[in-house]
Amino acid sequence: MQALVLAGGEGTRLRPLTLTRPKPAVPLVDRPFIRFMIDWLARHGVDDVVMACGFRAVDVRAAVGDEIPGGPSIRYLEEPEPLGTAGPIRLAAEAGMLADRFFVLNGDVLTDLDLTAHLAAHEERDALASLALYPVDDPSSYGLVRRGEDGAVRGFLEKPDPADIDTDEVNAGAYVLERSVLDLIPAGRAVSIEREVFPRLVGQGLYGLRLEGYWMDIGTPERYLQASWDILEGRVETAVAARMGADGTGIDELAEVEAGAMVSAPAFVDEGAQIAATATVGPRAVIGADCEVGEGAVISESALLAGCIVGEGATVEGSILAAGVEVGAGAAVTAGAIVGEGARVEAGAELDADARVEPGGIAA
Ligand code: GDD
Ligand code: MG
């Protein structure tokens, strides 16, 4: 089975993380995010992945590679300009890469939904297109899907107005499509599958299936962090479980956690990281490979990507540090800050709530 992964969005809501890396290549816990998706697809029999990437195809390729031992083959489709969520499907067909029936996935969703059941329902119903549906509290930032008992879709409303919300089921960004759907995708321009294709397929073989399991769009800082804790706490089925200890902390055997350091579950300390004896890490912390956490530093509710240095007595709380960030002694990075790759927070500085520091920048 083939899957086309839409991985060409700009990831604006995750800036500055996505200024130096495309969203699929942004690390989550211990691997580039997109690896979680590929593992999930492989578990459901996908052996051929087409990554639709946009202009940052090279970076995605560098993070993922062409082959994953025992995993699916991966090919990259580079769009000359962003073609939206349907345009890449046409481009893949024109490039001779597309099968007769295939999955299309939004490339920013961490999930373990049952794609095998999704495909079986599609076949049983003889559908042209099938949408995985998932219930959420507030559908307004998603695609609202109205359907009948038999699964036939009666309406598709992308980013609905509050007044139009009459169900909790939204488009989970995982489709099974028949090749004939191509007829509805105009060539040579960006096309939104949600706004231009699905509404036209209503009553014409478009079905929805509600699936149980874990599902999270990681495209905002809050959801990115929540997804990290959900992985550490085992709420979603992933390969990270093999690296977690029975006490709820995952400490790589190559990490150096000095005696006396406090590491509270859930937490993950990757290889080569050093945690000083009087430092406090967690609950809820990811310390990336080769990070250094100094004496008396406190890190909680935060994710540090590889190679960050947190000085003596500094605090990092509820924040994300991109790779290679340096936080000076006694500095406080709290309340939703995101610090871009290679940036520096000066000793003693206190960042404002929701602060953003650009890659390579200096925050005083
Ligand atoms: N290749 C390519 N080219 N991919 C793109 C492009 C493009 O021009 N534009 C967006 N994408 C990718 C994004 O990278 C992302 O993986 C996916 O398409 C969806 O785009 P988002 O920008 O993340 O959309 P959204 O989260 O607001 O809404 C979508 O996802 C929801 C579920 O998370 C819609 O599909 C909603 O209907 C859905 O409920
Ligand atoms: Mg999204």
Side-chain angles (χ1 to χ4, degrees), residues 187-207:
R189 65 168 174 91
V191 180
S192 160
I193 201 164
E194 298 89 347
R195 295 179 193 278
E196 297 185 58
V197 179
F198 292 147
R200 289 175 61 195
L201 272 172
V202 170
Q204 312 287 326
L206 181 64
Y207 285 83

Side-chain angles (χ1 to χ4, degrees), residues 6-9 13 23 52-54 79 82-85 88 106-109 141-143 156 158-159 170-173 175 194 215 217:
L6 294 166
R13 290 165 295 184
K23 187 159 59 173
C53 285
E79 293 156 53
L83 290 175
T85 45
N106 283 349
D108 60 352
V109 175
S141 55
Y142 301 101
F156 190 106
E158 184 64 15
K159 312 284 187 297
V170 302
N171 166 26
Y175 323 127
E194 298 89 347
W215 183 85
D217 177 327

Side-chain angles (χ1 to χ4, degrees), residues 36-341:
F36 290 99
M37 290 200 71
I38 294 171
D39 290 350
W40 166 61
L41 293 171
R43 289 203 298 278
H44 291 284
V46 170
D47 55 1
D48 174 17
V49 173
V50 176
M51 298 282 301
C53 285
F55 74 108
R56 306 205 66 168
V58 186
D59 299 329
V60 180
R61 193 171 197 152
V64 182
D66 296 320
E67 224 176 324
I68 293 172
S73 70
I74 303 175
R75 293 181 289 168
Y76 295 85
L77 179 68
E78 194 170 342
E79 293 156 53
E81 58 190 332
L83 290 175
T85 45
I89 302 171
R90 170 163 282 276
L91 189 66
E94 285 164 359
M97 295 166 103
L98 210 63
D100 289 338
R101 176 180 291 157
F102 48 90
F103 288 115
V104 171
L105 296 315
N106 283 349
D108 60 352
V109 175
L110 177 70
T111 180
D112 54 17
L113 296 184
D114 188 352
L115 282 182
T116 305
H118 186 28
L119 179 60
H122 175 86
E123 286 171 358
E124 234 162 70
R125 292 160 164 173
D126 226 350
L128 263 187
S130 298
L131 316 174
L133 307 180
Y134 196 78
V136 298
D137 292 337
D138 176 11
S140 58
S141 55
Y142 301 101
L144 180 91
V145 181
R146 298 180 181 138
R147 62 162 174 110
E149 289 279 308
D150 61 351
V153 173
R154 294 185 180 148
F156 190 106
L157 285 179
E158 184 64 15
K159 312 284 187 297
D161 286 333
D164 291 327
I165 296 176
D166 50 9
T167 168
D168 63 353
E169 289 180 351
V170 302
N171 166 26
Y175 323 127
V176 187
L177 303 182
E178 295 297 312
R179 196 184 167 91
S180 55
V181 166
L182 279 174
D183 297 344
L184 294 177
I185 307 174
R189 65 168 174 91
V191 180
S192 160
I193 201 164
E194 298 89 347
R195 295 179 193 278
E196 297 185 58
V197 179
F198 292 147
R200 289 175 61 195
L201 272 172
V202 170
Q204 312 287 326
L206 181 64
Y207 285 83
L209 181 70
R210 178 176 177 132
L211 293 171
E212 312 290 328
Y214 180 90
W215 183 85
M216 174 94 70
D217 177 327
I218 59 127
T220 68
E222 298 73 28
R223 297 201 296 245
Y224 171 91
L225 284 175
Q226 186 60 50
S228 306
W229 319 140
D230 291 340
I231 290 169
L232 297 186
E233 293 176 339
R235 273 190 283 274
V236 48
E237 191 187 334
T238 71
V240 178
R243 301 186 73 187
M244 298 300 292
D247 63 349
T249 64
I251 299 180
D252 188 275
E253 54 188 28
L254 296 175
E256 288 174 44
V257 178
E258 286 182 31
M262 180 97 110
V263 180
S264 309
F268 183 81
V269 182
D270 214 337
E271 66 179 59
Q274 296 170 33
I275 315 285
T278 53
T280 304
V281 168
R284 295 188 154 185
V286 170
I287 310 296
D290 302 317
C291 286
E292 291 171 29
V293 179
E295 298 292 351
V298 175
I299 297 179
S300 68
E301 306 268 344
S302 298
L304 280 54
L305 307 193
C308 292
I309 298 175
V310 178
E312 239 180 84
T315 305
V316 181
E317 216 179 78
S319 298
I320 306 173
L321 308 186
V325 164
E326 232 176 286
V327 177
V333 178
T334 57
I338 307 185
V339 184
E341 199 159 326

